[in-house]
Amino acid sequence: MQLLLCVDQMLNQTRASFTREPADMRRQALIEAAAACLAERGVAGTSVRTICARAGVSPGLLRHYFAGVDALIAETYREVTRHVSETFEAAVAAAGESPRARLIAYVTASFRPPITDPSLLATWLAFWSLVKTDADIALIHGETYRAYRDDLEALLAACGMPQASAGPVAIALTALVDGLWLELSLDPTTFTPDQASAMAVRWLDTLLERPAFG
Amino acid sequence: MQLLLCVDQMLNQTRASFTREPADMRRQALIEAAAACLAERGVAGTSVRTICARAGVSPGLLRHYFAGVDALIAETYREVTRHVSETFEAAVAAAGESPRARLIAYVTASFRPPITDPSLLATWLAFWSLVKTDADIALIHGETYRAYRDDLEALLAACGMPQASAGPVAIALTALVDGLWLELSLDPTTFTPDQASAMAVRWLDTLLERPAFG
DNA sequence: CTCCTTGTTATACGATCGTATAACAAGGTG
DNA sequence: CACCTTGTTATACGATCGTATAACAAGGAG
């Protein structure tokens, strides 16, 4: 029953005009639209239709570039993760040569824009809530955290930390940074980004001084 | 058009039998069903129909006891929070008289059942993702974290920590515990609950020894 | 035993969800 | 200029969402 289509034409109503974009651009636009929807409206307000409206395309186009909305979300996770890790690496590069300064830059970058952006919270929570149910998301999550800890271990080793201690210390530092970032994002009134940075540096210095647990 | 109802009766089909329960029991059953749905199926799989099916009642009954599904979720947050804080208090009570032992018991209780239950993750993520959009949830969240930090401050003071330091130290400890709990829940393969406890105790002892930040 | 209150069920309703598919048009190719 | 490919739109479809409401029955009151 495609009668309505014919009727539209008979009434001389016209379709929206459009331009054909390269595949890369369209994919990127959809990924950015998905991230924006998650950030602005949360996971409950992110659907095929809201994403495509945000990207300025019709809803059907999503499935022309992705297997489904879940695949787009997973790709968005990859993209956001990539952006975050690039931010961290830039902070380290800007910190100069001192190993301790580079380590501090890496750890405290989580408490400065664009990582402290409260809209990132909704994005991250959406991904976390998919870790238990979506195998792709779980895989990306595991890789992301491993990469973060590996970077941290390398920076710790550069500060003279013994190989055997770097692993557990990276876990402990990651947890503190994650917890501070999470609580800062959920409720920014309890403490400030500067306080968070000070706490992380304090914990870091403690672990550099005496790295053993137990 | 309630014709079908009449037809049902004409065909001699009967309604499901039911029993009238006290209001408190029904409310509690719905709250527990909501928590179970969140834990087992995540926020995406938690709806009026799934909650009521889990509670063994018809979907319409939810709105007889709650203003809507959002109100039930908020009430569930209160209930889960209450259960968690009771668990913490029981751990402190079982730790004996030593102030340090009581503090350690409070902090490490997060890494033992029933708090380490991976199904709690979905529940908590659902609440967190509502903090930014639901004022009631935001209020409950703020009260919950304040209560946790207040308890922690009291236990720190009992260990001889100066009043001025207890606040920031409570924030730092809460963040580490939260981060460790979160990462343990998301991916239990990276480290063990015992390692998490050891890291928290280590951080705790450090802060007891030299509580100042900056 | 009968009536009445009301807790409960069953169904209806409009909105929105993700996906499928036919019609269309944009833009290169001959 | 005509054709063809295919990126894109528009609409359809079935499922499920939260809520509203009428019919029913459980269980106490008289």
Side-chain angles (χ1 to χ4, degrees):
Chain A
M1 285 305 175
Q2 311 297 349
L3 276 180
L4 293 179
L5 287 176
C6 304
V7 171
D8 269 8
Q9 292 311 308
M10 287 161 63
L11 295 176
N12 205 18
Q13 294 179 3
T14 174
R15 283 197 168 204
S17 67
F18 59 89
T19 60
R20 297 182 174 218
E21 299 285 346
D24 296 349
M25 298 232 177
R26 278 278 192 249
R27 285 178 60 89
Q28 192 62 25
L30 284 168
I31 287 172
E32 284 170 11
C37 280
L38 284 173
E40 293 170 9
R41 321 160 67 119
V43 62
T46 300
S47 67
V48 171
R49 285 167 177 83
T50 57
I51 292 171
C52 289
R54 172 89 192 198
V57 300
S58 88
L61 198 59
L62 188 148
R63 278 190 42 82
H64 194 269
Y65 289 102
F66 298 91
V69 68
D70 291 343
L72 171 57
I73 299 291
E75 212 60 44
T76 304
Y77 192 10
R78 280 211 169 83
E79 175 69 19
V80 171
T81 285
R82 201 176 55 83
H83 180 237
V84 166
S85 64
E86 281 175 2
T87 301
F88 291 162
E89 284 164 20
V92 170
E97 298 293 330
S98 153
R100 183 171 173 276
R102 291 165 65 86
L103 182 52
I104 288 177
Y106 191 77
V107 165
T108 61
S110 290
F111 310 120
R112 280 195 302 273
I115 311 297
T116 308
D117 184 355
S119 68
L120 253 186
L121 173 68
T123 311
W124 228 248
L125 288 177
F127 297 140
W128 284 344
S129 54
L130 293 174
V131 165
K132 290 296 182 189
T133 57
D134 187 320
D136 288 340
I137 296 283
L139 193 69
I140 300 170
H141 172 81
E143 291 171 356
T144 299
Y145 270 68
R146 180 134 78 116
Y148 186 88
R149 292 194 182 106
D150 284 351
D151 285 350
L152 212 44
E153 285 187 39
L155 291 166
L156 288 164
C159 288
M161 176 162 294
Q163 178 77 15
S165 298
V169 166
I171 290 171
L173 262 178
T174 303
L176 180 66
V177 170
D178 246 18
L180 287 169
W181 176 85
L182 176 64
E183 288 167 26
L184 207 50
S185 302
L186 282 170
D187 180 7
T189 68
T190 306
F191 56 98
T192 68
D194 284 344
Q195 287 180 295
S197 291
M199 293 174 192
V201 170
R202 168 68 190 284
W203 185 218
L204 190 159
D205 283 339
T206 300
L207 293 170
L208 279 177
E209 193 176 335
R210 283 194 306 139
F213 285 106
Chain B
M1 286 305 174
Q2 311 298 348
L3 277 180
L4 293 181
L5 288 175
C6 303
V7 171
D8 270 7
Q9 293 309 309
M10 286 160 65
L11 296 177
N12 205 19
Q13 294 178 1
T14 173
R15 283 197 168 205
S17 67
F18 60 89
T19 59
R20 299 183 173 215
E21 299 286 345
D24 296 351
M25 300 230 175
R26 277 281 192 248
R27 287 177 59 89
Q28 192 62 25
L30 284 168
I31 287 172
E32 285 171 10
C37 280
L38 285 173
E40 293 170 9
R41 320 160 68 119
V43 62
T46 300
S47 67
V48 172
R49 286 168 177 83
T50 57
I51 293 171
C52 289
R54 172 88 192 197
V57 300
S58 88
L61 197 60
L62 189 149
R63 280 191 40 83
H64 194 269
Y65 288 103
F66 297 92
V69 68
D70 290 343
L72 170 56
I73 299 292
E75 211 61 44
T76 305
Y77 192 8
R78 281 213 167 81
E79 175 68 19
V80 172
T81 285
R82 200 176 56 82
H83 180 237
V84 167
S85 64
E86 281 175 1
T87 300
F88 290 163
E89 284 165 19
V92 170
E97 298 292 330
S98 154
R100 182 170 174 278
R102 291 165 64 86
L103 182 52
I104 288 176
Y106 191 77
V107 165
T108 60
S110 289
F111 310 119
R112 280 195 301 273
I115 311 298
T116 308
D117 183 357
S119 67
L120 253 185
L121 173 68
T123 312
W124 228 249
L125 287 177
F127 297 141
W128 284 344
S129 54
L130 293 174
V131 164
K132 290 294 181 189
T133 58
D134 187 320
D136 287 339
I137 296 283
L139 194 69
I140 301 171
H141 173 80
E143 290 171 356
T144 299
Y145 270 67
R146 180 134 78 116
Y148 186 87
R149 292 195 182 104
D150 284 351
D151 285 350
L152 212 44
E153 285 188 39
L155 291 167
L156 288 164
C159 288
M161 177 162 292
Q163 179 77 14
S165 298
V169 166
I171 290 171
L173 263 178
T174 303
L176 180 65
V177 170
D178 246 17
L180 287 169
W181 176 86
L182 176 64
E183 288 167 28
L184 208 50
S185 301
L186 283 171
D187 180 6
T189 68
T190 306
F191 56 98
T192 67
D194 283 344
Q195 287 179 294
S197 290
M199 295 174 191
V201 170
R202 167 69 190 282
W203 184 219
L204 190 157
D205 283 339
T206 301
L207 293 169
L208 279 177
E209 193 177 335
R210 285 194 307 139
F213 284 106

